[in-house]
Amino acid sequence: MVKVTNNRGNLVVARALLDSCSIVNLITENFAKSLRLSEFPCSVSIGAVDGLCTVSQRYIQASIHSKYNNHIQQIQLLIVPKIAEAVPNDVFPREFFDIPKNIKLADPQFHLPKSIDVLLSSGVTLSVLAVGQIKLQRENSEIILQKTSLGWIVAGENINQSSYSSTSCHMVKLDKLIERFRLIEDLDHEPNKSRDEVACEQHYVTHTQCDSSGRYIVRLPFRNSKFDLGNSKSQALKRFDSLQAKFAKNPSLKVEYSKVMDEYISLGHMTLCEVTKMVIFYPIMQS
């Protein structure tokens, strides 16, 4: 049992599984939601025994605390729907072993099947190990009590393993090739294109030219259909007056603006429009 800091800074008790084979920390969706911590996008393929695989698309950063001392670790946990079945698989007969009463068990109810909220990787597992180990035997069975910063943990064999119908193997592998994102696309499949995309591509194929200097020239793509822009003259005049006011307060801005506009004219990118109904910006460059 460990404590995890939630979004309000409070400590929430969680049941954690120490996995010496895993290289990634995991947390269940339900427990992650209860913490209400910020979640970050990712796309991480998590493989296990026999090629079984799941993909985590979110992760959180959390602080793991010991129940018995000041030990604390900041870790990243990938969010998955479920980590494991109830651990242990069945009620463990702890009464057959004389567990010293003076030691502090990390999980006093380790012998009862319960769900797992968090899986801690091999790095975290090794970092919490401390000096102290007790082996307890009965007939052909043995359990090991190991001292850690989280309290004493218990591992070992069932008394009669053949009597159980299932068992668990918690080994996890991280595919680093797609650690942050995954491109979901069939490269052999031609994606569907919209009518506008097809027309735009055809436009560039038809109207792209190369001049004598090796410079490529292409006409801007415009739709054939006309659009009613509405009464935009009043808005354009307001923006014109606002720009003139800025120039009055900042003459240097007017000079730089005029240089840019003059360059547009000299390059032929802009010409004076003689249609009286259209608002043009060329006159603002007059000194």
Side-chain angles (χ1 to χ4, degrees), residues 87-122:
V87 177
N89 301 92
D90 208 334
V91 177
F92 187 88
R94 63 175 291 176
E95 66 274 9
F96 293 147
F97 296 90
D98 187 16
I99 299 177
K101 293 182 173 53
N102 63 318
I103 68 174
K104 296 180 179 179
L105 291 173
D107 183 4
Q109 296 183 329
F110 72 91
H111 60 296
L112 299 178
K114 292 184 179 181
S115 60
I116 298 296
D117 303 308
V118 173
L119 183 144
L120 300 178
S121 67
S122 57

PDB file of all heavy atoms in Angstrom, residues 87-122:
ATOM      1  N   VAL A  87      -4.969  -9.726  -7.064  1.00  0.00           N
ATOM      2  CA  VAL A  87      -3.712 -10.295  -6.582  1.00  0.00           C
ATOM      3  C   VAL A  87      -3.776 -10.408  -5.065  1.00  0.00           C
ATOM      4  O   VAL A  87      -4.093  -9.424  -4.389  1.00  0.00           O
ATOM      5  CB  VAL A  87      -2.521  -9.408  -6.996  1.00  0.00           C
ATOM      6  CG1 VAL A  87      -1.214  -9.969  -6.439  1.00  0.00           C
ATOM      7  CG2 VAL A  87      -2.440  -9.285  -8.512  1.00  0.00           C
ATOM      8  N   PRO A  88      -3.495 -11.626  -4.508  1.00  0.00           N
ATOM      9  CA  PRO A  88      -3.207 -12.890  -5.204  1.00  0.00           C
ATOM     10  C   PRO A  88      -4.459 -13.453  -5.881  1.00  0.00           C
ATOM     11  O   PRO A  88      -5.550 -12.923  -5.706  1.00  0.00           O
ATOM     12  CB  PRO A  88      -2.722 -13.805  -4.078  1.00  0.00           C
ATOM     13  CG  PRO A  88      -3.418 -13.287  -2.873  1.00  0.00           C
ATOM     14  CD  PRO A  88      -3.485 -11.792  -3.044  1.00  0.00           C
ATOM     15  N   ASN A  89      -4.288 -14.555  -6.617  1.00  0.00           N
ATOM     16  CA  ASN A  89      -5.419 -15.139  -7.315  1.00  0.00           C
ATOM     17  C   ASN A  89      -6.481 -15.665  -6.361  1.00  0.00           C
ATOM     18  O   ASN A  89      -7.673 -15.663  -6.674  1.00  0.00           O
ATOM     19  CB  ASN A  89      -4.952 -16.287  -8.222  1.00  0.00           C
ATOM     20  CG  ASN A  89      -3.955 -15.811  -9.246  1.00  0.00           C
ATOM     21  OD1 ASN A  89      -2.755 -15.866  -9.000  1.00  0.00           O
ATOM     22  ND2 ASN A  89      -4.426 -15.329 -10.378  1.00  0.00           N
ATOM     23  N   ASP A  90      -6.033 -16.136  -5.211  1.00  0.00           N
ATOM     24  CA  ASP A  90      -6.948 -16.687  -4.220  1.00  0.00           C
ATOM     25  C   ASP A  90      -6.443 -16.303  -2.839  1.00  0.00           C
ATOM     26  O   ASP A  90      -5.338 -15.767  -2.694  1.00  0.00           O
ATOM     27  CB  ASP A  90      -7.027 -18.215  -4.374  1.00  0.00           C
ATOM     28  CG  ASP A  90      -8.381 -18.747  -3.915  1.00  0.00           C
ATOM     29  OD1 ASP A  90      -9.009 -18.074  -3.071  1.00  0.00           O
ATOM     30  OD2 ASP A  90      -8.795 -19.800  -4.424  1.00  0.00           O
ATOM     31  N   VAL A  91      -7.231 -16.560  -1.824  1.00  0.00           N
ATOM     32  CA  VAL A  91      -6.816 -16.236  -0.457  1.00  0.00           C
ATOM     33  C   VAL A  91      -5.561 -17.027  -0.100  1.00  0.00           C
ATOM     34  O   VAL A  91      -5.516 -18.254  -0.255  1.00  0.00           O
ATOM     35  CB  VAL A  91      -7.950 -16.540   0.548  1.00  0.00           C
ATOM     36  CG1 VAL A  91      -7.467 -16.261   1.974  1.00  0.00           C
ATOM     37  CG2 VAL A  91      -9.172 -15.692   0.228  1.00  0.00           C
ATOM     38  N   PHE A  92      -4.540 -16.307   0.349  1.00  0.00           N
ATOM     39  CA  PHE A  92      -3.275 -16.957   0.702  1.00  0.00           C
ATOM     40  C   PHE A  92      -3.327 -17.354   2.181  1.00  0.00           C
ATOM     41  O   PHE A  92      -3.631 -16.527   3.039  1.00  0.00           O
ATOM     42  CB  PHE A  92      -2.122 -15.994   0.454  1.00  0.00           C
ATOM     43  CG  PHE A  92      -0.766 -16.590   0.618  1.00  0.00           C
ATOM     44  CD1 PHE A  92      -0.144 -17.218  -0.441  1.00  0.00           C
ATOM     45  CD2 PHE A  92      -0.107 -16.548   1.848  1.00  0.00           C
ATOM     46  CE1 PHE A  92       1.120 -17.778  -0.306  1.00  0.00           C
ATOM     47  CE2 PHE A  92       1.150 -17.099   1.990  1.00  0.00           C
ATOM     48  CZ  PHE A  92       1.761 -17.712   0.915  1.00  0.00           C
ATOM     49  N   PRO A  93      -3.013 -18.591   2.513  1.00  0.00           N
ATOM     50  CA  PRO A  93      -3.103 -19.057   3.912  1.00  0.00           C
ATOM     51  C   PRO A  93      -1.940 -18.557   4.759  1.00  0.00           C
ATOM     52  O   PRO A  93      -1.038 -19.313   5.131  1.00  0.00           O
ATOM     53  CB  PRO A  93      -3.080 -20.580   3.765  1.00  0.00           C
ATOM     54  CG  PRO A  93      -2.309 -20.819   2.507  1.00  0.00           C
ATOM     55  CD  PRO A  93      -2.634 -19.676   1.590  1.00  0.00           C
ATOM     56  N   ARG A  94      -1.967 -17.285   5.106  1.00  0.00           N
ATOM     57  CA  ARG A  94      -0.869 -16.690   5.856  1.00  0.00           C
ATOM     58  C   ARG A  94      -0.749 -17.256   7.262  1.00  0.00           C
ATOM     59  O   ARG A  94       0.302 -17.164   7.899  1.00  0.00           O
ATOM     60  CB  ARG A  94      -1.016 -15.173   5.922  1.00  0.00           C
ATOM     61  CG  ARG A  94      -2.259 -14.687   6.647  1.00  0.00           C
ATOM     62  CD  ARG A  94      -2.272 -13.176   6.778  1.00  0.00           C
ATOM     63  NE  ARG A  94      -1.245 -12.694   7.681  1.00  0.00           N
ATOM     64  CZ  ARG A  94      -0.993 -11.397   7.901  1.00  0.00           C
ATOM     65  NH1 ARG A  94      -1.673 -10.477   7.228  1.00  0.00           N
ATOM     66  NH2 ARG A  94      -0.065 -11.030   8.748  1.00  0.00           N
ATOM     67  N   GLU A  95      -1.839 -17.860   7.747  1.00  0.00           N
ATOM     68  CA  GLU A  95      -1.808 -18.408   9.107  1.00  0.00           C
ATOM     69  C   GLU A  95      -0.838 -19.568   9.238  1.00  0.00           C
ATOM     70  O   GLU A  95      -0.433 -19.931  10.358  1.00  0.00           O
ATOM     71  CB  GLU A  95      -3.217 -18.845   9.537  1.00  0.00           C
ATOM     72  CG  GLU A  95      -3.795 -20.008   8.749  1.00  0.00           C
ATOM     73  CD  GLU A  95      -4.508 -19.587   7.478  1.00  0.00           C
ATOM     74  OE1 GLU A  95      -4.407 -18.388   7.120  1.00  0.00           O
ATOM     75  OE2 GLU A  95      -5.170 -20.433   6.857  1.00  0.00           O
ATOM     76  N   PHE A  96      -0.430 -20.150   8.123  1.00  0.00           N
ATOM     77  CA  PHE A  96       0.522 -21.250   8.170  1.00  0.00           C
ATOM     78  C   PHE A  96       1.954 -20.772   8.384  1.00  0.00           C
ATOM     79  O   PHE A  96       2.864 -21.563   8.592  1.00  0.00           O
ATOM     80  CB  PHE A  96       0.453 -22.084   6.885  1.00  0.00           C
ATOM     81  CG  PHE A  96      -0.840 -22.836   6.725  1.00  0.00           C
ATOM     82  CD1 PHE A  96      -1.376 -23.052   5.466  1.00  0.00           C
ATOM     83  CD2 PHE A  96      -1.526 -23.311   7.836  1.00  0.00           C
ATOM     84  CE1 PHE A  96      -2.564 -23.751   5.317  1.00  0.00           C
ATOM     85  CE2 PHE A  96      -2.721 -24.008   7.694  1.00  0.00           C
ATOM     86  CZ  PHE A  96      -3.240 -24.229   6.426  1.00  0.00           C
ATOM     87  N   PHE A  97       2.180 -19.453   8.286  1.00  0.00           N
ATOM     88  CA  PHE A  97       3.525 -18.908   8.414  1.00  0.00           C
ATOM     89  C   PHE A  97       3.580 -17.974   9.626  1.00  0.00           C
ATOM     90  O   PHE A  97       2.668 -17.167   9.845  1.00  0.00           O
ATOM     91  CB  PHE A  97       3.923 -18.142   7.152  1.00  0.00           C
ATOM     92  CG  PHE A  97       4.002 -19.012   5.925  1.00  0.00           C
ATOM     93  CD1 PHE A  97       2.898 -19.204   5.116  1.00  0.00           C
ATOM     94  CD2 PHE A  97       5.184 -19.649   5.603  1.00  0.00           C
ATOM     95  CE1 PHE A  97       2.969 -19.998   3.990  1.00  0.00           C
ATOM     96  CE2 PHE A  97       5.270 -20.451   4.482  1.00  0.00           C
ATOM     97  CZ  PHE A  97       4.153 -20.631   3.670  1.00  0.00           C
ATOM     98  N   ASP A  98       4.640 -18.093  10.344  1.00  0.00           N
ATOM     99  CA  ASP A  98       4.811 -17.292  11.552  1.00  0.00           C
ATOM    100  C   ASP A  98       5.496 -15.977  11.196  1.00  0.00           C
ATOM    101  O   ASP A  98       6.710 -15.822  11.312  1.00  0.00           O
ATOM    102  CB  ASP A  98       5.635 -18.068  12.582  1.00  0.00           C
ATOM    103  CG  ASP A  98       5.702 -17.341  13.913  1.00  0.00           C
ATOM    104  OD1 ASP A  98       4.871 -16.426  14.121  1.00  0.00           O
ATOM    105  OD2 ASP A  98       6.579 -17.680  14.729  1.00  0.00           O
ATOM    106  N   ILE A  99       4.704 -15.028  10.731  1.00  0.00           N
ATOM    107  CA  ILE A  99       5.241 -13.722  10.342  1.00  0.00           C
ATOM    108  C   ILE A  99       5.513 -12.897  11.601  1.00  0.00           C
ATOM    109  O   ILE A  99       4.613 -12.724  12.439  1.00  0.00           O
ATOM    110  CB  ILE A  99       4.257 -12.973   9.417  1.00  0.00           C
ATOM    111  CG1 ILE A  99       4.031 -13.785   8.136  1.00  0.00           C
ATOM    112  CG2 ILE A  99       4.771 -11.583   9.087  1.00  0.00           C
ATOM    113  CD1 ILE A  99       3.027 -13.177   7.186  1.00  0.00           C
ATOM    114  N   PRO A 100       6.737 -12.400  11.776  1.00  0.00           N
ATOM    115  CA  PRO A 100       7.051 -11.611  12.984  1.00  0.00           C
ATOM    116  C   PRO A 100       6.079 -10.447  13.147  1.00  0.00           C
ATOM    117  O   PRO A 100       5.784  -9.725  12.189  1.00  0.00           O
ATOM    118  CB  PRO A 100       8.477 -11.122  12.718  1.00  0.00           C
ATOM    119  CG  PRO A 100       9.053 -12.125  11.768  1.00  0.00           C
ATOM    120  CD  PRO A 100       7.911 -12.563  10.903  1.00  0.00           C
ATOM    121  N   LYS A 101       5.626 -10.258  14.369  1.00  0.00           N
ATOM    122  CA  LYS A 101       4.625  -9.215  14.625  1.00  0.00           C
ATOM    123  C   LYS A 101       5.225  -7.823  14.717  1.00  0.00           C
ATOM    124  O   LYS A 101       4.508  -6.831  14.683  1.00  0.00           O
ATOM    125  CB  LYS A 101       3.871  -9.544  15.917  1.00  0.00           C
ATOM    126  CG  LYS A 101       3.011 -10.790  15.823  1.00  0.00           C
ATOM    127  CD  LYS A 101       2.262 -11.025  17.117  1.00  0.00           C
ATOM    128  CE  LYS A 101       1.258 -12.179  16.986  1.00  0.00           C
ATOM    129  NZ  LYS A 101       1.841 -13.410  16.493  1.00  0.00           N
ATOM    130  N   ASN A 102       6.547  -7.734  14.851  1.00  0.00           N
ATOM    131  CA  ASN A 102       7.162  -6.411  15.006  1.00  0.00           C
ATOM    132  C   ASN A 102       7.474  -5.721  13.682  1.00  0.00           C
ATOM    133  O   ASN A 102       7.835  -4.542  13.661  1.00  0.00           O
ATOM    134  CB  ASN A 102       8.448  -6.545  15.817  1.00  0.00           C
ATOM    135  CG  ASN A 102       9.479  -7.407  15.105  1.00  0.00           C
ATOM    136  OD1 ASN A 102       9.132  -8.431  14.538  1.00  0.00           O
ATOM    137  ND2 ASN A 102      10.745  -6.990  15.146  1.00  0.00           N
ATOM    138  N   ILE A 103       7.340  -6.428  12.552  1.00  0.00           N
ATOM    139  CA  ILE A 103       7.636  -5.797  11.265  1.00  0.00           C
ATOM    140  C   ILE A 103       6.384  -5.107  10.723  1.00  0.00           C
ATOM    141  O   ILE A 103       5.258  -5.520  10.995  1.00  0.00           O
ATOM    142  CB  ILE A 103       8.186  -6.815  10.249  1.00  0.00           C
ATOM    143  CG1 ILE A 103       7.101  -7.815   9.852  1.00  0.00           C
ATOM    144  CG2 ILE A 103       9.418  -7.527  10.790  1.00  0.00           C
ATOM    145  CD1 ILE A 103       7.535  -8.743   8.742  1.00  0.00           C
ATOM    146  N   LYS A 104       6.610  -4.057   9.951  1.00  0.00           N
ATOM    147  CA  LYS A 104       5.505  -3.292   9.363  1.00  0.00           C
ATOM    148  C   LYS A 104       5.315  -3.729   7.909  1.00  0.00           C
ATOM    149  O   LYS A 104       6.132  -3.410   7.043  1.00  0.00           O
ATOM    150  CB  LYS A 104       5.799  -1.794   9.436  1.00  0.00           C
ATOM    151  CG  LYS A 104       5.894  -1.266  10.861  1.00  0.00           C
ATOM    152  CD  LYS A 104       6.193   0.223  10.875  1.00  0.00           C
ATOM    153  CE  LYS A 104       6.269   0.751  12.298  1.00  0.00           C
ATOM    154  NZ  LYS A 104       6.578   2.214  12.329  1.00  0.00           N
ATOM    155  N   LEU A 105       4.254  -4.450   7.680  1.00  0.00           N
ATOM    156  CA  LEU A 105       3.976  -4.920   6.327  1.00  0.00           C
ATOM    157  C   LEU A 105       3.501  -3.767   5.455  1.00  0.00           C
ATOM    158  O   LEU A 105       2.665  -2.957   5.883  1.00  0.00           O
ATOM    159  CB  LEU A 105       2.924  -6.020   6.355  1.00  0.00           C
ATOM    160  CG  LEU A 105       3.347  -7.355   6.984  1.00  0.00           C
ATOM    161  CD1 LEU A 105       2.147  -8.285   7.097  1.00  0.00           C
ATOM    162  CD2 LEU A 105       4.452  -8.010   6.161  1.00  0.00           C
ATOM    163  N   ALA A 106       4.025  -3.707   4.234  1.00  0.00           N
ATOM    164  CA  ALA A 106       3.572  -2.678   3.293  1.00  0.00           C
ATOM    165  C   ALA A 106       2.088  -2.841   3.002  1.00  0.00           C
ATOM    166  O   ALA A 106       1.379  -1.859   2.774  1.00  0.00           O
ATOM    167  CB  ALA A 106       4.381  -2.752   2.004  1.00  0.00           C
ATOM    168  N   ASP A 107       1.623  -4.089   2.996  1.00  0.00           N
ATOM    169  CA  ASP A 107       0.199  -4.383   2.806  1.00  0.00           C
ATOM    170  C   ASP A 107      -0.202  -5.440   3.826  1.00  0.00           C
ATOM    171  O   ASP A 107      -0.004  -6.633   3.600  1.00  0.00           O
ATOM    172  CB  ASP A 107      -0.064  -4.887   1.393  1.00  0.00           C
ATOM    173  CG  ASP A 107      -1.548  -5.137   1.138  1.00  0.00           C
ATOM    174  OD1 ASP A 107      -2.364  -4.843   2.033  1.00  0.00           O
ATOM    175  OD2 ASP A 107      -1.892  -5.619   0.043  1.00  0.00           O
ATOM    176  N   PRO A 108      -0.764  -5.018   4.961  1.00  0.00           N
ATOM    177  CA  PRO A 108      -1.150  -5.979   6.004  1.00  0.00           C
ATOM    178  C   PRO A 108      -2.142  -7.033   5.514  1.00  0.00           C
ATOM    179  O   PRO A 108      -2.250  -8.101   6.119  1.00  0.00           O
ATOM    180  CB  PRO A 108      -1.773  -5.084   7.085  1.00  0.00           C
ATOM    181  CG  PRO A 108      -1.165  -3.733   6.853  1.00  0.00           C
ATOM    182  CD  PRO A 108      -1.012  -3.631   5.375  1.00  0.00           C
ATOM    183  N   GLN A 109      -2.857  -6.731   4.442  1.00  0.00           N
ATOM    184  CA  GLN A 109      -3.834  -7.685   3.903  1.00  0.00           C
ATOM    185  C   GLN A 109      -3.338  -8.262   2.566  1.00  0.00           C
ATOM    186  O   GLN A 109      -4.105  -8.489   1.649  1.00  0.00           O
ATOM    187  CB  GLN A 109      -5.192  -6.999   3.722  1.00  0.00           C
ATOM    188  CG  GLN A 109      -5.811  -6.533   5.035  1.00  0.00           C
ATOM    189  CD  GLN A 109      -7.190  -5.920   4.835  1.00  0.00           C
ATOM    190  OE1 GLN A 109      -7.478  -5.326   3.798  1.00  0.00           O
ATOM    191  NE2 GLN A 109      -8.027  -6.045   5.849  1.00  0.00           N
ATOM    192  N   PHE A 110      -2.044  -8.524   2.502  1.00  0.00           N
ATOM    193  CA  PHE A 110      -1.456  -9.039   1.274  1.00  0.00           C
ATOM    194  C   PHE A 110      -2.046 -10.383   0.868  1.00  0.00           C
ATOM    195  O   PHE A 110      -1.990 -10.777  -0.298  1.00  0.00           O
ATOM    196  CB  PHE A 110       0.061  -9.194   1.442  1.00  0.00           C
ATOM    197  CG  PHE A 110       0.464 -10.335   2.339  1.00  0.00           C
ATOM    198  CD1 PHE A 110       0.707 -11.601   1.819  1.00  0.00           C
ATOM    199  CD2 PHE A 110       0.598 -10.149   3.710  1.00  0.00           C
ATOM    200  CE1 PHE A 110       1.068 -12.664   2.633  1.00  0.00           C
ATOM    201  CE2 PHE A 110       0.958 -11.209   4.534  1.00  0.00           C
ATOM    202  CZ  PHE A 110       1.195 -12.469   3.993  1.00  0.00           C
ATOM    203  N   HIS A 111      -2.606 -11.122   1.832  1.00  0.00           N
ATOM    204  CA  HIS A 111      -3.098 -12.473   1.572  1.00  0.00           C
ATOM    205  C   HIS A 111      -4.497 -12.485   0.967  1.00  0.00           C
ATOM    206  O   HIS A 111      -4.979 -13.544   0.550  1.00  0.00           O
ATOM    207  CB  HIS A 111      -3.116 -13.270   2.881  1.00  0.00           C
ATOM    208  CG  HIS A 111      -3.989 -12.675   3.935  1.00  0.00           C
ATOM    209  ND1 HIS A 111      -3.744 -11.441   4.505  1.00  0.00           N
ATOM    210  CD2 HIS A 111      -5.140 -13.129   4.508  1.00  0.00           C
ATOM    211  CE1 HIS A 111      -4.682 -11.168   5.397  1.00  0.00           C
ATOM    212  NE2 HIS A 111      -5.539 -12.179   5.420  1.00  0.00           N
ATOM    213  N   LEU A 112      -5.153 -11.324   0.890  1.00  0.00           N
ATOM    214  CA  LEU A 112      -6.511 -11.258   0.361  1.00  0.00           C
ATOM    215  C   LEU A 112      -6.496 -10.770  -1.087  1.00  0.00           C
ATOM    216  O   LEU A 112      -5.832  -9.770  -1.399  1.00  0.00           O
ATOM    217  CB  LEU A 112      -7.366 -10.323   1.214  1.00  0.00           C
ATOM    218  CG  LEU A 112      -7.528 -10.708   2.685  1.00  0.00           C
ATOM    219  CD1 LEU A 112      -8.359  -9.665   3.413  1.00  0.00           C
ATOM    220  CD2 LEU A 112      -8.154 -12.090   2.823  1.00  0.00           C
ATOM    221  N   PRO A 113      -7.224 -11.430  -1.988  1.00  0.00           N
ATOM    222  CA  PRO A 113      -7.279 -10.987  -3.392  1.00  0.00           C
ATOM    223  C   PRO A 113      -7.909  -9.598  -3.516  1.00  0.00           C
ATOM    224  O   PRO A 113      -9.047  -9.393  -3.077  1.00  0.00           O
ATOM    225  CB  PRO A 113      -8.143 -12.051  -4.073  1.00  0.00           C
ATOM    226  CG  PRO A 113      -8.087 -13.236  -3.163  1.00  0.00           C
ATOM    227  CD  PRO A 113      -7.976 -12.681  -1.773  1.00  0.00           C
ATOM    228  N   LYS A 114      -7.184  -8.678  -4.074  1.00  0.00           N
ATOM    229  CA  LYS A 114      -7.674  -7.315  -4.265  1.00  0.00           C
ATOM    230  C   LYS A 114      -7.138  -6.769  -5.586  1.00  0.00           C
ATOM    231  O   LYS A 114      -6.145  -7.263  -6.114  1.00  0.00           O
ATOM    232  CB  LYS A 114      -7.247  -6.402  -3.114  1.00  0.00           C
ATOM    233  CG  LYS A 114      -7.915  -6.722  -1.784  1.00  0.00           C
ATOM    234  CD  LYS A 114      -7.511  -5.712  -0.730  1.00  0.00           C
ATOM    235  CE  LYS A 114      -8.182  -5.999   0.607  1.00  0.00           C
ATOM    236  NZ  LYS A 114      -7.799  -4.999   1.640  1.00  0.00           N
ATOM    237  N   SER A 115      -7.799  -5.756  -6.072  1.00  0.00           N
ATOM    238  CA  SER A 115      -7.398  -5.156  -7.350  1.00  0.00           C
ATOM    239  C   SER A 115      -6.113  -4.346  -7.179  1.00  0.00           C
ATOM    240  O   SER A 115      -5.756  -3.921  -6.072  1.00  0.00           O
ATOM    241  CB  SER A 115      -8.508  -4.259  -7.894  1.00  0.00           C
ATOM    242  OG  SER A 115      -8.793  -3.222  -6.970  1.00  0.00           O
ATOM    243  N   ILE A 116      -5.438  -4.128  -8.315  1.00  0.00           N
ATOM    244  CA  ILE A 116      -4.192  -3.368  -8.339  1.00  0.00           C
ATOM    245  C   ILE A 116      -4.464  -2.001  -8.971  1.00  0.00           C
ATOM    246  O   ILE A 116      -5.039  -1.913 -10.044  1.00  0.00           O
ATOM    247  CB  ILE A 116      -3.110  -4.113  -9.137  1.00  0.00           C
ATOM    248  CG1 ILE A 116      -2.789  -5.456  -8.487  1.00  0.00           C
ATOM    249  CG2 ILE A 116      -1.843  -3.264  -9.256  1.00  0.00           C
ATOM    250  CD1 ILE A 116      -2.193  -5.346  -7.094  1.00  0.00           C
ATOM    251  N   ASP A 117      -4.049  -0.943  -8.292  1.00  0.00           N
ATOM    252  CA  ASP A 117      -4.226   0.421  -8.809  1.00  0.00           C
ATOM    253  C   ASP A 117      -3.015   0.911  -9.585  1.00  0.00           C
ATOM    254  O   ASP A 117      -3.140   1.669 -10.551  1.00  0.00           O
ATOM    255  CB  ASP A 117      -4.505   1.392  -7.654  1.00  0.00           C
ATOM    256  CG  ASP A 117      -5.713   0.995  -6.831  1.00  0.00           C
ATOM    257  OD1 ASP A 117      -6.784   0.782  -7.426  1.00  0.00           O
ATOM    258  OD2 ASP A 117      -5.583   0.887  -5.601  1.00  0.00           O
ATOM    259  N   VAL A 118      -1.833   0.484  -9.135  1.00  0.00           N
ATOM    260  CA  VAL A 118      -0.583   0.999  -9.701  1.00  0.00           C
ATOM    261  C   VAL A 118       0.401  -0.155  -9.864  1.00  0.00           C
ATOM    262  O   VAL A 118       0.461  -1.051  -9.012  1.00  0.00           O
ATOM    263  CB  VAL A 118       0.032   2.079  -8.771  1.00  0.00           C
ATOM    264  CG1 VAL A 118       1.410   2.496  -9.270  1.00  0.00           C
ATOM    265  CG2 VAL A 118      -0.886   3.286  -8.672  1.00  0.00           C
ATOM    266  N   LEU A 119       1.140  -0.147 -10.965  1.00  0.00           N
ATOM    267  CA  LEU A 119       2.250  -1.078 -11.150  1.00  0.00           C
ATOM    268  C   LEU A 119       3.529  -0.262 -11.218  1.00  0.00           C
ATOM    269  O   LEU A 119       3.634   0.678 -12.012  1.00  0.00           O
ATOM    270  CB  LEU A 119       2.074  -1.905 -12.421  1.00  0.00           C
ATOM    271  CG  LEU A 119       3.148  -2.968 -12.685  1.00  0.00           C
ATOM    272  CD1 LEU A 119       2.537  -4.213 -13.319  1.00  0.00           C
ATOM    273  CD2 LEU A 119       4.256  -2.417 -13.599  1.00  0.00           C
ATOM    274  N   LEU A 120       4.486  -0.611 -10.363  1.00  0.00           N
ATOM    275  CA  LEU A 120       5.748   0.118 -10.292  1.00  0.00           C
ATOM    276  C   LEU A 120       6.837  -0.672 -11.007  1.00  0.00           C
ATOM    277  O   LEU A 120       6.984  -1.878 -10.796  1.00  0.00           O
ATOM    278  CB  LEU A 120       6.129   0.376  -8.834  1.00  0.00           C
ATOM    279  CG  LEU A 120       5.107   1.207  -8.037  1.00  0.00           C
ATOM    280  CD1 LEU A 120       5.549   1.357  -6.585  1.00  0.00           C
ATOM    281  CD2 LEU A 120       4.895   2.579  -8.678  1.00  0.00           C
ATOM    282  N   SER A 121       7.607  -0.007 -11.809  1.00  0.00           N
ATOM    283  CA  SER A 121       8.587  -0.646 -12.681  1.00  0.00           C
ATOM    284  C   SER A 121       9.788  -1.176 -11.900  1.00  0.00           C
ATOM    285  O   SER A 121       9.947  -0.942 -10.696  1.00  0.00           O
ATOM    286  CB  SER A 121       9.058   0.357 -13.727  1.00  0.00           C
ATOM    287  OG  SER A 121       9.797   1.394 -13.101  1.00  0.00           O
ATOM    288  N   SER A 122      10.662  -1.847 -12.623  1.00  0.00           N
ATOM    289  CA  SER A 122      11.850  -2.430 -12.005  1.00  0.00           C
ATOM    290  C   SER A 122      12.747  -1.352 -11.401  1.00  0.00           C
ATOM    291  O   SER A 122      13.364  -1.564 -10.351  1.00  0.00           O
ATOM    292  CB  SER A 122      12.631  -3.237 -13.041  1.00  0.00           C
ATOM    293  OG  SER A 122      12.979  -2.422 -14.149  1.00  0.00           O
TER     294      SER A 122
END
